[in-house]
């Protein structure tokens, strides 16, 4: 029986520790794409498993001109973390520029060593290997093993190259994810930005100015307006143009749930809190942490629930249903309502303290009838939206737009969108004309002019049908009187009503 070679035993032990180190390194790198934390943990593993008591990872800056420290281990805390290396500068810059490993028995022997930086031990061995992502050198992994292991530096250098390859893959993936996040953020910002909200009237410009200003801060916002005026769209614009844009945008319609379910939905619940609570569940407040929570129809919640909501808004604290642990959340709240909350407060139906907590920054959205000048642009946008849904070109005629301009729109933009979609469904050739708009449910009438006057019957922009309807409206739908306004005989206006397919109203 021959005695075992001490060198073979040492190499076997080194291989075993290297394999364990690679396993732990791969687990660390797969855990998170937050590079600084991940790389710091990786260097700690290399020290524990392989004895690399001084270690450094540098990564290229976006401009590609220099490298900066991304992780540092075993080095005096007085070292400046903002140290940078340009290509070819010092041993670190030399490894990056040549994109080849550098192995030194003693660091001070290298003419490239910058002693004044004070990062490494000049008398210890040094291993520097390039970190590559695809075909690009994106950084350097530098390691210093103990003095006693100079005899296996080549093996350690080969091991360091394997680790650097794993780091390179993680860096490449991290950069891809970061770019995808930027692309998604740009897409979301363009979709939910100010350009996506149509309106050039003075009242809408005022709304846009308020939204731009309030988006900068974490102030609670109360968006007010009739149903269908676009309150959720305003809430999205505030969130995606705020510092919280990278966080979640969570929404909840408070009128859609009874009080017991609303509490569970907003605050979450613990397992077994009530029948059917089979697992623990986070609420919307927790889900929206570091982001924005949009509470639509806030005026519909009960008085008892208002007190619970007030505490979260004031303290930023909540307990899940059935739980005893207090949770802190960082959430910006945007609420919306179509109710007159001042009257609700006077009637004792809405808590005054909650109203003032929500009404820090009120934004009032005007109904569509108060900004009729925006209707053609909104209609054109909606026609394009429906055309995309139907996968065919659509257009709308001027006569159809004039009908839309004269409707009162009690359902606001939502009613207008439904009207256009119905008309598009019934259009065989892709043209939305006056008749299709009328069939889709819009009432045929000519509205009084602004300022309380009547429509000018000699207006050249009115076609014959609109002129006859305007005269009938002004005459209280008395045909003989309307005929006189138009310098027609009763027989002539009766003929026009029949041929123009005008539905006579009974007053």
């Amino acid at each position: 029986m021959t005695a075992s070679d001490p060198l073979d035993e040492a190499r076997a032990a080194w291989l075993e520790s290297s394999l364990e180190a690679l396993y732990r390194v791969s687990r660390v790198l797969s855990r998170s794409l937050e590079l600084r934390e991940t790389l710091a943990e990786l260097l700690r593993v290399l020290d524990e498993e392989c004895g690399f008591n001084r270690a450094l990872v540098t990564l290229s800056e976006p401009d590609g001109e220099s490298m900066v420290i991304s992780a540092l281990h075993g080095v005096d805390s007085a070292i400046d973390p903002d140290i940078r290396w340009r290509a070819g500068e010092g041993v670190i810059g030399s490894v990056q520029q040549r994109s080849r490993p550098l192995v030194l028995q003693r660091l001070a022997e290298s003419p490239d060593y910058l002693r004044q930086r004070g990062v490494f031990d000049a008398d210890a061995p040094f291993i520097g290997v390039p970190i590559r992502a695809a075909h690009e050198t994106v950084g350097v992994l530098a390691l210093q093993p103990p003095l006693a292991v100079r005899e296996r530096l080549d093996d350690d250098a080969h091991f360091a190259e394997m680790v650097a390859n794993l780091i390179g893959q993680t860096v490449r993936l991290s950069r891809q994810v970061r770019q995808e996040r930027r692309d998604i953020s740009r897409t979301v910002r363009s979709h939910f930005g100010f350009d996506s909200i149509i309106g050039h009237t003075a009242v809408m410009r005022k709304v846009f100015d308020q939204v731009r200003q309030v988006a900068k801060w974490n102030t609670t916002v109360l968006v007010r307006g009739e149903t269908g005026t676009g309150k959720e769209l305003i809430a999205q614009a505030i969130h995606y143009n705020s510092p919280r844009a990278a966080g979640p945008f969570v929404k909840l319609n408070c009128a859609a749930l009874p009080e017991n379910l609303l509490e569970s939905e907003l605050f979450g619940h613990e397992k077994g809190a009530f029948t059917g609570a089979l697992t623990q569940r986070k609420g919307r407040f927790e889900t929206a942490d570091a982001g924005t929570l949009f509470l639509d129809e806030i005026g519909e919640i009960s008085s008892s629930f208002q007190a619970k909501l007030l505490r979260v808004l004031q303290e930023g604290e909540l307990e899940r249903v059935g739980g005893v642990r207090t949770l802190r959340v960082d959430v910006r709240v945007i609420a919306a309502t179509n109710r007159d909350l001042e009257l609700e407060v006077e009637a004792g139906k809405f808590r005054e303290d909650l109203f003032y907590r929500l009404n820090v920054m009120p934004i009032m959205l005007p109904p569509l009838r108060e900004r009729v000048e925006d209707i053609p642009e909104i209609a054109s946008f909606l026609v394009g939206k429906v055309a995309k849904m139907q996968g065919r070109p659509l257009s709308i005629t001027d006569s159809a737009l004039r009908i839309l301009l004269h409707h009162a729109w009690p359902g606001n933009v939502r009613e207008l969108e439904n009207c256009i979609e119905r008309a598009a469904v019934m259009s065989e050739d892709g043209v939305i004309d006056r008749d299709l708009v009328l069939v889709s449910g819009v009432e045929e009438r000519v509205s009084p002019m602004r300022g309380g006057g009547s429509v000018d019957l000699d207006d050249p922009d009115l076609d014959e049908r609109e002129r006859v309807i305007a005269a009938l409206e002004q005459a209280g739908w008395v045909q003989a009187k309307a005929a006189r306004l138009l310098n027609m005989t009763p027989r002539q206006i009766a003929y026009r009503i029949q041929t123009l397919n005008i539905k006579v109203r009974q007053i």
Side-chain angles (χ1 to χ4, degrees):
M1 187 174 183
T2 59
S4 58
D5 189 339
L7 292 177
D8 289 342
E9 290 182 356
R11 183 169 179 78
W14 175 84
L15 285 172
E16 185 176 349
S17 64
S18 297
L19 287 173
E20 178 63 23
L22 282 176
Y23 170 71
R24 289 186 62 186
V25 163
S26 65
R27 289 192 61 184
V28 168
L29 291 176
S30 64
R31 203 175 297 154
S32 170
L33 291 177
E34 295 297 328
L35 282 179
R36 286 189 175 274
E37 296 177 9
T38 299
L39 293 175
E41 175 68 9
L42 179 147
L43 296 184
R44 188 179 65 80
V45 168
L46 293 181
D47 186 7
E48 291 177 358
E49 295 291 341
C50 303
F52 294 115
N53 49 28
R54 286 198 181 209
L56 168 74
V57 174
T58 63
L59 293 177
S60 299
E61 295 197 285
D63 60 8
E65 296 294 324
S66 59
M67 291 183 298
V68 67
I69 296 173
S70 288
L72 197 60
H73 178 78
V75 179
D76 187 347
S77 59
I79 295 296
D80 182 3
D82 294 326
I83 293 175
R84 282 165 169 74
W85 287 267
R86 293 187 174 275
E89 183 182 16
V91 288
I92 301 296
S94 175
V95 171
Q96 187 223 16
Q97 186 179 56
R98 298 169 187 170
S99 195
R100 292 199 305 271
L102 176 64
V103 182
L104 300 169
Q105 290 283 338
R106 183 169 176 269
L107 177 59
E109 296 173 359
S110 171
D112 294 322
Y113 173 53
L114 301 176
R115 184 180 296 271
Q116 68 273 21
R117 292 283 176 92
V119 177
F120 294 108
D121 182 354
D123 296 320
F126 176 86
I127 298 170
V129 293
I131 298 171
R132 300 185 184 93
H135 302 293
E136 178 189 3
T137 299
V138 296
V140 172
L141 169 64
L143 304 170
Q144 282 201 294
L147 295 172
V149 295
R150 283 195 170 107
E151 69 278 357
R152 64 164 193 253
L153 280 182
D154 289 339
D155 288 337
D156 281 340
H158 182 61
F159 168 79
E161 285 186 88
M162 289 189 285
V163 173
N165 287 337
L166 294 175
I167 296 173
Q169 294 174 22
T170 302
V171 169
R172 180 173 57 82
L173 180 59
S174 176
R175 291 182 174 180
Q176 285 177 348
V177 170
R178 193 159 59 242
Q179 184 60 46
E180 288 174 4
R181 284 175 179 168
R182 290 196 193 104
D183 293 342
I184 291 171
S185 179
R186 278 195 294 268
T187 301
V188 167
R189 282 176 182 267
S190 65
H191 186 68
F192 294 114
F194 302 112
D195 293 337
S196 68
I197 307 173
I198 299 169
H200 294 93
T201 52
V203 66
M204 285 305 294
R205 287 199 300 271
K206 180 181 178 182
V207 169
F208 294 153
D209 289 342
Q210 289 177 316
V211 170
R212 286 189 181 93
Q213 191 63 29
V214 78
K216 303 174 186 177
W217 316 108
N218 285 325
T219 306
T220 303
V221 179
L222 180 61
V223 187
R224 310 182 69 171
E226 295 179 6
T227 299
T229 50
K231 295 187 287 293
E232 182 177 333
L233 196 61
I234 291 294
Q236 289 170 332
I238 292 172
H239 170 74
Y240 288 110
N241 289 276
S242 76
R244 293 176 175 264
F249 178 81
V250 179
K251 54 189 178 181
L252 178 68
N253 186 332
C254 298
L257 297 170
E259 182 178 336
N260 59 332
L261 291 181
L262 183 60
E263 184 175 3
S264 172
E265 195 66 34
L266 276 177
F267 304 149
H269 61 253
E270 299 291 349
K271 181 179 179 181
F274 50 84
T275 303
L278 303 178
T279 59
Q280 183 192 77
R281 184 175 183 274
K282 287 184 177 181
R284 301 292 177 99
F285 268 104
E286 285 183 81
T287 306
D289 195 34
T292 302
L293 177 61
F294 175 57
L295 298 176
D296 199 6
E297 305 291 355
I298 193 70
E300 306 297 327
I301 62 176
S302 68
S303 299
S304 59
F305 190 75
Q306 290 171 24
K308 299 174 183 177
L309 180 60
L310 180 63
R311 182 199 169 199
V312 183
L313 296 179
Q314 289 180 331
E315 309 296 337
E317 296 179 347
L318 59 91
E319 288 91 30
R320 297 192 188 112
V321 177
V324 294
R325 186 164 60 98
T326 299
L327 305 172
R328 290 201 60 83
V329 289
D330 173 24
V331 175
R332 183 202 195 146
V333 172
I334 301 176
T337 185
N338 60 0
R339 285 177 173 260
D340 187 334
L341 291 186
E342 287 87 351
L343 290 179
E344 299 281 315
V345 169
E346 288 181 14
K349 296 180 180 178
F350 201 87
R351 289 180 63 111
E352 185 176 20
D353 48 3
L354 178 58
F355 169 69
Y356 287 121
R357 187 65 185 82
L358 292 171
N359 200 43
V360 178
M361 179 63 193
I363 295 179
M364 181 63 72
L365 296 187
L368 192 54
R369 63 182 173 274
E370 292 182 7
R371 56 185 188 109
V372 292
E373 295 91 339
D374 290 330
I375 288 178
E377 189 178 359
I378 297 172
S380 296
F381 170 80
L382 294 174
V383 167
K385 180 180 176 181
V386 175
K388 189 174 181 180
M389 287 169 49
Q390 295 187 353
R392 62 167 178 162
L394 291 174
S395 62
I396 186 167
T397 65
D398 290 342
S399 60
L401 285 174
R402 282 197 289 271
I403 293 292
L404 298 180
L405 284 168
H406 296 148
H407 186 62
W409 301 113
N412 295 294
V413 178
R414 189 174 298 147
E415 181 189 359
L416 175 59
E417 182 173 8
N418 291 341
C419 167
I420 287 175
E421 186 169 354
R422 283 195 298 269
V425 168
M426 294 184 289
S427 174
E428 294 183 359
D429 59 1
V431 177
I432 299 173
D433 59 19
R434 168 210 298 271
D435 292 335
L436 287 175
V437 169
L438 290 171
V439 172
S440 71
V442 172
E443 182 182 354
E444 179 184 18
R445 71 186 189 91
V446 177
S447 300
M449 294 178 64
R450 290 181 180 273
S454 298
V455 173
D456 182 4
L457 299 179
D458 296 322
D459 187 345
D461 288 335
L462 293 178
D463 59 23
E464 186 177 12
R465 182 190 180 99
E466 289 174 326
R467 188 171 290 107
V468 171
I469 294 173
L472 287 166
E473 289 247 334
Q474 292 180 29
W477 289 86
V478 177
Q479 293 185 30
K481 187 175 179 181
R484 287 195 297 272
L485 292 173
L486 294 171
N487 296 318
M488 293 181 182
T489 66
R491 180 175 293 182
Q492 285 176 323
I493 198 169
Y495 176 75
R496 295 291 196 285
I497 291 171
Q498 181 180 359
T499 57
L500 295 174
N501 194 26
I502 297 172
K503 183 179 179 182
V504 178
R505 293 173 58 190
Q506 302 297 323
I507 302 297

